[in-house]
Amino acid sequence: MKTLELATEVVVVGSGAGGGAAAVELVQAGREVLILEMGNRELPKSFTQREEQMMPRLFQDAGARTTADKAIQVLQGKGLGGSTLHNLNLCKRIDPELFELWAKTRDLPDIGERLRPHYDHFEKALSIAAVPEDRINRNNQILRAGAEALGWKNGPLRHNRTGCIGSGFCELGCAYDAKNNSAKILIPAAEKGGAKVLTGIRVTQVLHRFGRATGVSGQILDERGQVVGHATIRAERVVLAASATGSAALVIASGLPDPYRQAGRGLTLHPGATVGGVFDEPVDGWKGVPQSWECDELLHPTDPDRRMWLVPVFGHPVATAAMLPGLGPEAVARIGSYRHIAAITPMLHDSTVGRVDARGDARPLLHYSLNDADRRMMAKGVSAAAQVLLAAGAREVLIPTAVPQVVRTAKEAIAVAQQAFGPLDPPLAAVHPMGGMCMGGDPHTSATNADGRHHHCPNLWIADAGLFPTSTGVPPQWSTYSFGRLVGQAAGA
Ligand SMILES: Cc1cc2nc3c(=O)[nH]c(=O)nc-3n(C[C@H](O)[C@H](O)[C@H](O)COP(=O)(O)OP(=O)(O)OC[C@H]3O[C@@H](n4cnc5c(N)ncnc54)[C@H](O)[C@@H]3O)c2cc1C
Ligand code: SF4
């Protein structure tokens, strides 16, 4: 077994949206920075566009991570650049109304104002812009047409891409290097400023003594993720950016001071179902930019009765086969319609609050089970997605319950909203874990202060989506980049 012992001024654990943003600020503040990433340095040219090869390379647990009760598949990334390597590049700011709520209820005065310059910075740095009209694929046009036919609010989305050729393989990593993400923009900027990067290091402990962090230790992994050694990094400051689930699990596994037991609390997921409409003509939903249009008729940042966001979703063959309802010959027949399926995910701005725990080796364990209000909201969202697909001309819509249902009329689709969804049914997926190390002014109800500094360990910061005090209702990457920059400036001062 190899051993590695190093010392640095600041160690940053994780290289995704938050870690990349924080690292750039730390080197700009003149700090000696070492970035540790459990995944590999993945080069776009090597992305094969094959699910069975790219899922294990770019996803935690090869894409098979779930909540503890297995009800929700939770997708999170690994590799230098984290989840920004394979995400779908949607960019939205958190609504000012939600910031006002956080200001009042989480003792975070001016949080919206404090984040604004960081949002503005990344708008330029990541070239965030509207998806060009000629890049809106058939799957997205169907959502647009259905929402318009119903008279529901809808509109175009913004992305962080340059030179996108619309191949449709975003979720398996962009072989054309068109994503303006942490791997392409931030990590190179941090390295240019002097940051060192070590990949294949999975941190398992934050070392601490007398209430102060002294560094981190963990496993050295080979390219396939096998443990081949042990690393210890001494550091004067520690910044955790191992994601909403990873940072909380590390804090818990390390036994850091936590008198009010706040580490791991506040987990939200934005879970979503997949509702497929079968069309007479081919849709070929995997071709082109996957998500470029939204329907936000049922979404409001703070209204408890409007918490559903409708966006198109697509799947490569394996993912689609796994998502389609039914078993045996019925499932085989459904996948036979692959080219003719358009799909929408109703994504929940969740009121359910779960909890991250740590397994023995600091891997996250996610306790999260939808509350009754959210199950009702999910039924409403599935119903709304079915209505949109039918309004756009779908011949039939597949309701993704364990016992599959098919609806063919608007009346049947509307009735789905009244169904009582169970704790494990329909199967859900989540790509936006948030919370776990929530930011707030009160140490009794939050894990970090308004600068992301741990309330009880003054030289430890959190710089990832774990900081969000509640579910946001919008895709989290732009906000995570912005929080990461805010925390990086605080930790570098
Ligand atoms: C399929 C998918 C699609 C998405 N699409 C969008 C989208 O279109 N728009 C949007 O806004 N958001 C999207 N997201 C979410 C977005 O990518 C994340 O919210 C964002 O990247 C979170 O940033 P982060 O820094 O918190 O974590 P991440 O970007 O996940 O980075 C965390 C990093 O820490 C590393 N790490 C974890 N544990 C350890 C450890 N113990 N030791 C060392 N390293 C560790 C991980 O390997 C990873 O690289 C998507 C996510 C997925 C999975
Ligand atoms: S659609 Fe664009 S960003 Fe996505 S993989 Fe293809 S070229 Fe890259």
Side-chain angles (χ1 to χ4, degrees):
M1 293 288 256
K2 293 183 200 167
T3 54
L4 177 70
E5 293 201 6
L6 292 171
T8 184
E9 193 176 12
V10 190
V11 64
V12 177
V13 180
S15 62
V24 173
E25 297 309 306
L26 286 159
V27 292
Q28 283 183 0
R31 301 289 167 192
E32 182 195 17
V33 175
L34 175 62
I35 302 169
L36 301 179
E37 165 56 48
M38 67 182 280
N40 298 320
R41 190 182 281 265
E42 298 285 358
L43 299 176
K45 272 191 209 141
S46 73
F47 293 164
T48 61
Q49 305 187 337
R50 293 200 61 98
E51 284 172 286
E52 78 281 13
Q53 292 165 3
M54 296 312 300
M55 293 301 287
R57 275 174 64 180
L58 298 190
F59 285 80
Q60 301 280 345
D61 301 335
R65 177 170 286 177
T66 66
T67 48
D69 62 4
K70 305 209 171 0
I72 307 177
Q73 180 191 20
V74 181
L75 289 164
Q76 291 193 272
K78 68 173 186 191
L80 196 61
S83 301
T84 74
L85 281 174
H86 65 250
N87 77 20
L88 298 186
N89 296 84
L90 303 186
C91 292
K92 285 187 94 171
R93 297 183 190 224
I94 292 174
D95 193 283
E97 265 193 53
L98 190 60
F99 282 137
E100 277 168 35
L101 189 76
W102 288 359
K104 279 191 210 129
T105 59
R106 306 294 168 137
D107 200 8
L108 289 171
D110 305 329
I111 183 68
E113 280 309 303
R114 291 182 67 218
L115 282 170
R116 190 202 302 270
H118 304 299
Y119 276 119
D120 293 347
H121 169 83
F122 285 114
E123 188 159 19
K124 283 202 193 93
L126 306 182
S127 308
I128 296 171
V131 185
E133 183 76 25
D134 63 359
R135 284 267 176 259
I136 296 166
N137 75 358
R138 180 82 191 113
N139 200 28
N140 283 265
Q141 283 170 10
I142 283 172
L143 177 124
R144 180 183 188 172
E148 275 169 9
L150 292 168
W152 288 2
K153 216 166 133 224
N154 66 92
L157 286 162
R158 303 178 79 207
H159 288 206
N160 55 324
R161 304 169 211 250
T162 311
C164 167
I165 62 157
S167 71
F169 284 95
C170 309
E171 206 180 357
L172 303 180
C174 179
Y176 312 93
D177 206 12
K179 297 180 175 199
N180 300 325
N181 57 13
S182 182
K184 180 170 147 188
I185 309 285
L186 301 180
I187 300 296
E191 287 184 298
K192 203 167 163 208
K196 299 275 181 294
V197 174
L198 278 180
T199 55
I201 304 284
R202 193 174 87 80
V203 174
T204 54
Q205 286 278 311
V206 177
L207 306 171
H208 55 102
R209 222 167 153 234
F210 306 127
R212 289 186 68 83
T214 57
V216 298
S217 68
Q219 301 162 330
I220 305 175
L221 308 176
D222 68 12
E223 294 253 307
R224 290 169 307 128
Q226 303 298 312
V227 180
V228 292
H230 183 81
T232 306
I233 319 296
R234 299 277 159 201
E236 292 166 26
R237 302 175 187 206
V238 174
V239 176
L240 294 183
S243 85
T245 64
S247 292
L250 273 173
V251 168
I252 294 166
S254 307
L256 279 150
D258 189 14
Y260 307 113
R261 298 176 68 83
Q262 288 302 310
R265 291 199 183 212
L267 176 71
T268 58
L269 291 176
H270 282 174
T274 302
V275 184
V278 185
F279 286 73
D280 288 331
E281 77 278 14
V283 176
D284 293 342
W286 68 90
K287 283 189 191 161
V289 172
Q291 291 175 329
S292 54
W293 209 264
E294 67 175 343
C295 170
D296 53 353
E297 175 74 11
L298 303 177
L299 186 68
H300 184 275
T302 55
D303 180 349
D305 294 325
R306 285 170 60 205
R307 295 188 289 109
M308 267 298 169
W309 189 46
L310 303 184
V311 268
V313 66
F314 80 110
H316 300 295
V318 176
T320 306
M323 282 184 307
L324 285 175
L327 297 168
E330 191 186 15
V332 173
R334 291 235 159 86
I335 194 72
S337 312
Y338 184 47
R339 292 195 61 200
H340 293 258
I341 293 176
I344 294 177
T345 185
M347 194 183 283
L348 179 70
H349 176 18
D350 35 350
S351 67
T352 301
V353 180
R355 184 169 58 81
V356 181
D357 203 347
R359 297 175 202 264
D361 57 356
R363 278 188 303 127
L365 179 62
L366 312 180
H367 298 285
Y368 180 103
S369 184
L370 281 191
N371 63 30
D372 290 347
D374 280 0
R375 277 191 227 152
R376 284 195 297 274
M377 191 57 58
M378 188 60 77
K380 206 167 158 181
V382 169
S383 158
Q387 291 174 58
V388 169
L389 289 162
L390 288 170
R395 184 183 350 127
E396 58 183 29
V397 174
L398 312 171
I399 304 298
T401 39
V403 177
Q405 306 172 55
V406 176
V407 297
R408 295 190 175 84
T409 65
K411 195 173 166 204
E412 287 169 351
I414 290 166
V416 171
Q418 304 309 320
Q419 291 190 10
F421 283 174
L424 303 176
D425 189 21
L428 304 175
V431 296
H432 298 164
M434 296 167 286
M437 289 298 292
C438 298
M439 184 183 266
D442 181 353
H444 294 87
T445 56
S446 58
T448 82
N449 72 9
D451 288 333
R453 188 197 290 254
H454 192 275
H455 278 306
H456 311 286
C457 184
N459 61 339
L460 174 70
W461 284 262
I462 307 298
D464 57 33
L467 292 170
F468 298 178
T470 66
S471 159
T472 60
V474 294
Q477 69 162 354
W478 195 355
S479 308
T480 309
Y481 283 119
S482 302
F483 269 112
R485 189 165 186 261
L486 181 148
V487 174
Q489 289 181 355

